Amino acid sequence: QRVNVTVRSGLPMVVAGSAEPCAQLLVSSIGVVGSAEQNQRHSARFFDVLTAQLGLGPERIIIRFYPLEPWQIGKNRTVMTFL
């Protein structure tokens, strides 16, 4: 219930100066991606899945973490602060 995934394939992207196949993962969450230590653990797991599923080397994948506050997410006609 707290994870949403959007996949957009076929977008032109350049990573490290190369247009070879690559991927970018954006992760946003309330209270789960707020520190370097948390994101280091998440990063390792995400890279394991992405390299296995996409057949890309880890140097072709970028992960961006965005910590959110409950008032920044709307759901069921309110914000997460009140749910």
Side-chain angles (χ1 to χ4, degrees):
Q1 289 188 12
R2 299 207 179 243
V3 175
N4 297 298
V5 177
T6 300
V7 176
R8 294 186 213 167
S9 62
L11 295 176
M13 288 179 51
V14 174
V15 169
S18 170
E20 291 297 313
C22 58
Q24 177 176 244
L25 174 66
L26 289 86
V27 180
S28 58
S29 182
I30 299 168
V32 178
V33 296
S35 73
E37 292 77 15
Q38 287 174 316
N39 293 345
Q40 185 178 34
R41 289 188 302 272
H42 299 313
S43 183
R45 287 185 237 152
F46 283 130
F47 271 96
D48 288 346
V49 170
L50 292 172
T51 55
Q53 294 296 315
L54 300 177
L56 296 173
E59 72 284 354
R60 302 300 304 152
I61 299 170
I62 300 293
I63 301 174
R64 296 169 57 190
F65 295 98
Y66 294 96
L68 298 173
E69 297 295 328
W71 54 267
Q72 293 176 304
I73 303 296
K75 187 174 178 181
N76 294 336
R77 301 182 64 187
T78 188
V79 293
M80 294 298 291
T81 302
F82 303 109
L83 294 176

